[in-house]
Every structure is written in structure tokens, then in C-alpha cells.
Amino acid sequence: KNMSAKNVEITAKEAKSLRSEGNRMFVKKDYVGAEKKYTEAISKIEACGKTEVKEFEFHLLLSNRSACYLKRSERKLALEDAERACKISPKYVKVFVRKALALIALERFPEARKVILEALELEPENLFLKKTLTEIDLKLPVSSFESFMLHYSGTKDMRVRLCCLATFWNASSESDRLAFFRKLNALMQGVDVN
């Protein structure tokens, strides 16, 4: 479909106006109303076949609608919108957060962890991302030495590393703990124990 620059401008203004209305409703906790405004804007943009036009800020509409879906416990729809938004704007950290939160709500913790690690590559000092990673790590099973090492080596943050150790300790058996200390001692001495 061929759109003139004027049509793009009109649709972009409409989309921004609808997004602003949706944002106001979201702040007032009217998640159904906000979702309808975002959906209306998304539909107008999709109807013109120009979702890639920068002025439409399509990724923001999808991200915001994803937040509405999450608030309404529509986890799968939240994930679908967040995934679409990630593809459109792979450097927009907030979209990664929406995707991770949807995955957490779906109890898909390993995938959520991977998404947060991707976001941390973009913003390594983001405290919210670090906190979310810690929360995910606390929900992941850490009952074997291998899973402990995966979690432990996946971060440089000592708080996360201590959480991993505590989780492993609480979830493992006495024999697993003994094996863990043997392997840890061997690692520290540079000896291969297998």
C-alpha cells in the first residue's frame, strides 16, 4: 500500500494521540480502556501496512499494550506483544522487561533469565534489571552442582552469587553439598575432580 507523507503524518499524530490517551488511562488503572486505545492505534497502523515507519512508534504501542495484558493476567497476549516489540526495537530495554515479566508470569524462568541477561548487555548498570535477575534466580532450581555453576558463573554481581549459593544450599541434599565442597576445593587448588 502506498502512503503519502501527509497520510503517514496524520496517522502518526492519531497514533500518538491514542497512545497518550491510553497512557492516561493506564496511570488511572483503567487497563481495559488503555488496552482498547493502544489496540485502536495498532489497528490503524497495521491497516496502512506501515508498522516499520519510525514516527508511528509501533514498538511503544505494543509494549504498552503488553503491560495492560500483564495487569489483566493475560500472560500469553502480553508475551506476544512484547516479542513483536522486541523484533521491531531490539535496543529498547523496556520491551525486554515486558517480555521477561510475561515469561515470569508464565513461570518460564530460564527464558525470562535469558531475556534479562540480553537487556543487561544493553544497560549493564540498570538496577531494576539486576533486581529482576536476582528474583528470577531465586525461582530457578539450583539443586545440582552444574545448575549452581550455571547460575553462579552467569553473573558478576556478588549479591546474585550469594543468592545462588544459598538457594543451592537449601535445595540440595547433604551428599550434594559434600560433593559441591569437594569440587569447589579442587577448583581452588587447580585439581580436576570428576
Side-chain angles (χ1 to χ4, degrees):
K1 296 173 186 174
N2 195 2
M3 281 188 75
S4 70
K6 187 171 174 85
N7 286 345
V8 169
E9 185 180 314
I10 291 168
T11 307
K13 282 182 182 177
E14 287 176 301
K16 278 188 178 181
S17 174
L18 288 166
R19 193 176 92 230
S20 293
E21 288 178 54
N23 292 348
R24 282 191 292 279
M25 292 174 156
F26 189 90
V27 168
K28 293 178 183 176
K29 299 184 188 314
D30 178 5
Y31 305 121
V32 173
E35 184 244 313
K36 285 180 181 174
K37 292 296 179 184
Y38 300 139
T39 298
E40 187 180 341
I42 288 167
S43 297
K44 284 179 182 271
I45 294 168
E46 286 176 333
C48 73
K50 297 285 185 177
T51 57
E52 74 284 352
V53 174
K54 187 178 178 180
E55 292 80 16
F56 289 158
E57 298 178 329
F58 196 65
H59 66 289
L60 296 178
L61 291 164
L62 290 169
S63 177
N64 291 359
R65 188 170 71 174
S66 176
C68 289
Y69 286 144
L70 268 176
K71 291 290 187 182
R72 296 177 48 219
S73 296
E74 294 186 47
R75 298 166 188 95
K76 288 182 181 176
L77 291 172
L79 179 59
E80 287 173 17
D81 274 0
E83 285 177 332
R84 284 180 70 194
C86 278
K87 286 177 185 163
I88 293 167
S89 187
K91 300 224 183 275
Y92 183 54
V93 171
K94 200 175 207 177
V95 173
F96 284 91
V97 171
R98 301 262 199 256
K99 183 176 178 180
L101 293 176
L103 288 165
I104 291 167
L106 291 164
E107 297 185 9
R108 291 166 52 182
F109 304 116
E111 293 169 76
R113 186 176 199 283
K114 184 180 173 193
V115 170
I116 291 296
L117 288 173
E118 288 176 44
L120 278 166
E121 286 179 22
L122 298 171
E123 288 186 18
E125 299 305 314
N126 186 311
L127 294 177
F128 179 79
L129 294 174
K130 289 179 179 183
K131 178 180 174 262
T132 304
L133 182 63
T134 303
E135 290 170 5
I136 293 168
D137 282 341
L138 291 173
K139 293 175 182 173
L140 284 168
V142 187
S143 56
S144 71
F145 181 74
E146 291 73 24
S147 64
F148 166 77
M149 287 307 293
L150 174 75
H151 294 339
Y152 189 85
S153 62
T155 182
K156 301 269 187 249
D157 187 334
M158 273 317 234
R159 293 171 297 177
V160 175
R161 286 183 163 189
L162 287 171
C163 285
C164 289
L165 180 59
T167 304
F168 169 78
W169 190 264
N170 291 329
S172 61
S173 67
E174 190 174 328
S175 62
D176 286 338
R177 291 181 201 146
L178 183 59
F180 167 76
F181 280 113
R182 281 190 187 125
K183 288 182 181 183
L184 185 62
N185 188 36
L187 283 171
M188 288 169 42
Q189 294 178 11
V191 179
D192 187 17
V193 176
N194 278 328

